[in-house]
Amino acid sequence: MAHTRSRAGTGILTAAALLAVTGCGGSAISDTGSDGDGPLKVGLIVPLTGPVSSTGKALRNAFELGVEKVNEDGGVNGANVEFVVVDDGGDPATSTQLARRLVQREKVSMLFGTITGDTAEAVTKVADDAKVPFGTAILGDTGQCHPYAWGFGESTRQLLTPTIPALLEKYGKRVAVVGSDYNFPHYYLRVAKEQVKRAGGSVVGEEFSPIGQTDWQPVIKRLKAAKPDVLLAMVVGSDAVSFSQQAKQFGLLSPQLGYDGAPLDSDYYPALNALVNGRTHTVRWTDRLDDPDSRAFVADYRKAYKFKGPMPEVAGNAYFGIQFFLGAAEKAESADGEAINTEIGRLTFDSPLGENTRFSAANHILQADMFQATIKPGGAYEVSRELGRVADTTPMPGCS
Amino acid sequence: MDVLLAILTLFGLYGLTTLGMAVIFAATRVVNLAQGDLIMVGAYTAAVLTGPAFGWRVTLALVASAPLLLLIERLLLRRPLADGLATMLVTWGVGMALRQAAELWFTSTSRSVDAPVGGTVTVLGTPYPAYRLVCGLIAVAVIGLVLLAAYRTDWGLTLRAVADNPAMAALLGTDPRRLRTIAFIVGGLLAVLAGALYSPLLAVNPTMGFGLLVPVFFGLLLSRPGALGTAAGAALAIATLSVLLRTWLTDVLAEVFFYLIVVAVAALRSRPWIRRYMSWLTRVRVPARAS
């Protein structure tokens, strides 16, 4: 018996080792862009596999259309822009490695992409070291600024400044926050606390749970006990779906409860439709934006990728973001990362994200417009209120 | 009370999957790394076939997966059986193929399944979502049935005999190949059932089973090969530990303690004196050895 058991033990240990080894492997340069002799080359790092791959693919698709558009309009400095797409699988160690490879071997002039905060941070470090600008399209910031990192997604303050007073007025003053346990949701809570206090409310509950939670009962029970009027959820990935669903089953998510946060993103609409219909959500971009450039992009995207559902916000941010970056490269008249980076800081750019959008020097946050969207059945994120320019010039350590 | 209900629901999920893995492990000495992805197969069947009633979807998931499991066992697992590690690698590959296929067909965007029973029921004064209770009870009933089969039928006796001493069992006239096939199908179907049954509680996506593999793995680590009762017991212990920790502590702290405790228990179990004590227990408990 002892012999058998030790063999069993070895088997299980080997399996564990296998899981550990294979879990974080598998990434390679998968695609190269046009073959023109243009001097400018962009490296795109996105998760095309793994849990956030659907968002990663949306980003890549929009990025490719954005580069295509610039190339159709004559490229940058008279030559077509080239790009290299790499898959980091959502793993920060892989992101670092790939970013280094893109900078050193592929000699890219700028980096773009990543979905999760930890992978963005990994690439940011490489970008700062190599003095190459790096653009992201996801929402959120973590309270840190880096000289070579620029975000096209809305900052936490830009998101919460219009959201919180509206929710508190409609539903009540008691706010609870639930989040996945990583740096961004913690920062989100910090900013939410500030804003709730300013709006005259109080934060009555805060819960964080490791990513990949299957059973939310203990968290939901504690949240219910806090009796919130408004629930802000920054649970991401599949957790956004399982949390919302279980919160509904336990009676926490009722029409009387104000609910906003990541689960209302259009990415999750196919799974959560009935739960989020009729609610409002603050966004920087929606595919229902009534703007000719935006409409043309939506039509191109749907045609090129045979995509029917509501388009993720990250697609719009990436499409117009990369055009902003390439606009700065045109101004810099060079493929040198440092020169482009300086121009990115100076450029003002018109796009559906706003007129004369530009980065604040104090925090590298894009000063752009925000919208309140009402979620209609079928996944139409209709603009119900134009919130105009939402400024966020709060200085952040690292840049000012 | 609602702690007990939470344990019941979670035990159903972990128990079905762990027991399935233990059945396969008993007959083939292989840790089926595709077990988590079989959960995903079950959940997708329930999510995609929106036409028939939920009960039929679960049944259909089982009926459709059985030939798939047979095929996997016959075509892929037969040959490398001589080498346990190679077979395990094959199951890893099967899991990866299933994940990729799901991503290709259904994209990696999560889906959800509506619970067939809505509302809440009050159990001894505690309101609880009706469907959570239903699927917990069904899962526990199935686990009970499998254990009954393992300890009260000829098939169970053969399975335990093979688990104990494959060479001797073969000499005594069992056909190990047939047993392996049946065990793989039964074990796999338990995971498919878990996925289909629990789909209304989970986010259905290609990688969903992967995360569930960790607690199941711990369950297997704490059980004895061939003794299916200990696998169910270990799953119950893991579910209880997880629920209790998360009731008392925040989720983040609870996770840290959960891993610490499980690893400590696993490490302690391998100490010689504890092992000896446990082997005395086994001698009393396993009748297959006596026959």
Side-chain angles (χ1 to χ4, degrees):
Chain A
M1 198 64 215
H3 173 67
T4 330
R5 189 171 317 129
S6 70
R7 264 180 58 199
T10 326
I12 292 170
L13 280 180
T14 323
L18 259 176
L19 271 180
V21 171
T22 38
C24 56
S27 53
I29 290 184
S30 64
D31 187 18
T32 38
S34 60
D35 295 332
D37 295 326
L40 195 73
K41 202 169 185 180
V42 189
L44 180 72
I45 305 168
V46 274
L48 300 174
T49 50
V52 283
S53 59
S54 55
T55 317
K57 280 176 190 158
L59 194 157
R60 182 208 47 199
N61 294 349
F63 170 91
E64 286 183 3
L65 287 179
V67 174
E68 211 173 279
K69 171 109 192 322
V70 171
N71 282 343
E72 272 169 19
D73 296 344
V76 170
N77 297 324
N80 272 355
V81 177
E82 283 182 27
F83 61 90
V84 186
V85 182
V86 291
D87 172 17
D88 69 358
D91 171 54
T94 315
S95 314
T96 305
Q97 203 184 342
L98 290 173
R100 282 212 193 104
R101 196 197 303 176
L102 286 173
V103 171
Q104 286 162 6
R105 218 183 292 167
E106 299 286 328
K107 309 270 183 236
V108 298
S109 303
M110 50 174 81
L111 292 165
F112 207 86
T114 72
I115 298 297
T116 52
D118 48 357
T119 52
E121 211 172 288
V123 178
T124 300
K125 284 198 186 106
V126 179
D128 273 354
D129 282 349
K131 298 197 187 330
V132 162
F134 164 51
T136 57
I138 42 162
L139 71 96
D141 52 296
T142 49
Q144 268 290 326
C145 181
H146 293 270
Y148 285 82
W150 312 87
F152 289 95
E154 60 271 38
S155 75
T156 314
R157 281 197 178 79
Q158 285 173 324
L159 183 71
L160 290 176
T161 305
T163 309
I164 286 182
L167 281 173
L168 261 61
E169 195 184 319
K170 187 167 175 196
Y171 294 97
K173 305 274 186 200
R174 296 167 65 84
V175 180
V177 181
V178 57
S180 300
D181 185 37
Y182 69 95
N183 57 1
F184 171 55
H186 282 279
Y187 180 71
Y188 177 85
L189 169 71
R190 229 166 65 214
V191 178
K193 272 184 171 166
E194 252 171 50
Q195 307 268 359
V196 167
K197 204 173 157 195
R198 195 173 305 156
S202 57
V203 172
V204 293
E206 38 189 274
E207 288 289 333
F208 289 96
S209 200
I211 292 182
Q213 191 61 265
T214 42
D215 178 33
W216 289 93
Q217 179 172 353
V219 172
I220 291 169
K221 216 184 110 196
R222 282 194 288 266
L223 285 173
K224 246 182 120 170
K227 294 193 172 37
D229 301 315
V230 172
L231 179 62
L232 296 172
M234 204 33 84
V235 280
V236 299
S238 58
D239 292 5
V241 175
S242 58
F243 171 77
S244 305
Q245 233 176 337
Q246 294 182 23
K248 167 85 181 159
Q249 288 163 2
F250 276 100
L252 171 68
L253 206 59
S254 62
Q256 287 77 41
L257 181 82
Y259 190 48
D260 202 353
L264 276 79
D265 286 349
S266 53
D267 310 43
Y268 305 115
Y269 185 82
L272 290 178
N273 42 38
L275 283 180
V276 297
N277 277 341
R279 292 190 180 272
T280 55
H281 187 43
T282 315
V283 293
R284 164 145 297 161
W285 181 84
T286 137
D287 56 9
R288 290 304 176 112
L289 214 58
D290 193 19
D291 176 284
D293 282 348
S294 186
R295 277 205 305 266
F297 162 57
V298 171
D300 284 351
Y301 188 99
R302 290 194 185 285
K303 199 174 141 210
Y305 303 105
K306 297 184 181 62
F307 189 83
K308 289 196 188 77
M311 278 169 63
E313 198 182 336
V314 76
N317 292 345
Y319 178 76
F320 298 110
I322 186 61
Q323 293 184 38
F324 186 114
F325 255 42
L326 295 177
E330 174 88 31
K331 275 257 165 71
E333 293 178 354
S334 134
D336 173 48
E338 223 175 326
I340 298 174
N341 199 63
T342 315
E343 285 306 325
I344 291 171
R346 285 188 200 146
L347 190 71
T348 53
F349 190 76
D350 292 340
S351 75
L353 305 183
E355 267 179 28
N356 293 323
T357 54
R358 62 193 312 275
F359 281 101
S360 158
N363 55 19
H364 284 201
I365 284 168
L366 189 70
Q367 306 300 308
D369 297 352
M370 296 294 293
F371 301 92
Q372 186 196 63
T374 300
I375 306 168
K376 295 279 163 65
Y381 281 58
E382 298 282 4
V383 176
S384 50
R385 230 170 89 198
E386 287 183 15
L387 301 166
R389 169 89 23 119
V390 178
D392 176 6
T393 49
T394 322
M396 279 185 200
C399 294
S400 46
Chain B
M1 189 63 208
D2 55 14
V3 170
L4 287 180
L5 290 170
I7 293 174
L8 171 80
T9 311
L10 198 61
F11 165 60
L13 178 63
Y14 289 176
L16 282 177
T17 322
T18 313
L19 194 60
M21 222 160 174
V23 168
I24 296 174
F25 191 79
T28 62
R29 279 300 128 97
V30 161
V31 178
N32 179 23
L33 293 175
Q35 193 80 347
D37 303 294
L38 292 171
I39 299 180
M40 182 266 298
V41 169
Y44 261 109
T45 317
V48 175
L49 300 172
T50 39
F54 188 77
W56 285 112
R57 280 184 265 162
V58 176
T59 320
L60 217 77
L62 294 175
V63 174
S65 314
L68 174 77
L69 288 164
L70 179 73
L71 224 69
I72 292 173
E73 206 279 335
R74 280 282 154 85
L75 293 180
L76 299 172
L77 299 182
R78 200 44 35 117
R79 249 154 216 276
L81 255 182
D83 182 352
L85 184 62
T87 321
M88 201 157 72
L89 276 174
V90 172
T91 63
W92 175 252
V94 167
M96 209 188 271
L98 288 174
R99 278 198 296 281
Q100 291 298 327
E103 204 175 311
L104 216 64
W105 281 329
F106 310 118
T107 74
S108 58
T109 310
S110 293
R111 291 169 187 237
S112 63
V113 180
D114 287 331
V117 192
T120 52
V121 283
T122 310
V123 188
L124 297 176
T126 313
Y128 199 69
Y131 186 70
R132 283 176 87 94
L133 190 67
V134 170
C135 71
L137 289 175
I138 293 178
V140 171
V142 172
I143 291 169
L145 282 177
V146 173
L147 289 182
L148 207 67
Y151 288 97
R152 288 284 177 270
T153 63
D154 285 350
W155 174 76
L157 188 67
T158 324
L159 179 73
R160 282 178 298 132
V162 170
D164 237 19
N165 191 336
M168 181 61 84
L171 282 175
L172 291 175
T174 10
D175 178 2
R177 305 215 314 181
R178 218 180 118 217
L179 180 84
R180 280 179 193 140
T181 310
I182 295 175
F184 188 79
I185 293 176
V186 171
L189 284 183
L190 286 174
V192 172
L193 176 69
L197 210 54
Y198 278 80
S199 58
L201 308 185
L202 304 170
V204 182
N205 60 57
T207 47
M208 64 181 289
F210 201 70
L212 286 168
L213 219 51
V214 175
V216 170
F217 236 77
F218 281 145
L220 202 62
L221 193 69
L222 297 182
S223 65
R224 273 188 311 104
L228 301 183
T230 62
L236 180 61
I238 296 275
T240 310
L241 180 67
S242 163
V243 169
L244 286 181
L245 283 175
R246 291 182 60 207
T247 308
W248 293 326
L249 305 167
T250 63
D251 272 18
V252 179
L253 268 180
E255 193 186 54
V256 174
F257 278 102
F258 175 77
Y259 286 123
L260 277 179
I261 292 174
V262 172
V263 170
V265 169
L268 275 179
R269 262 180 95 250
S270 61
R271 309 295 303 178
W273 61 274
I274 291 182
R275 227 156 100 167
R276 200 172 311 131
Y277 171 71
M278 302 237 320
S279 75
W280 291 339
L281 284 181
T282 12
R283 243 160 244 174
V284 187
R285 267 215 223 128
V286 184
R289 283 180 69 89
S291 61

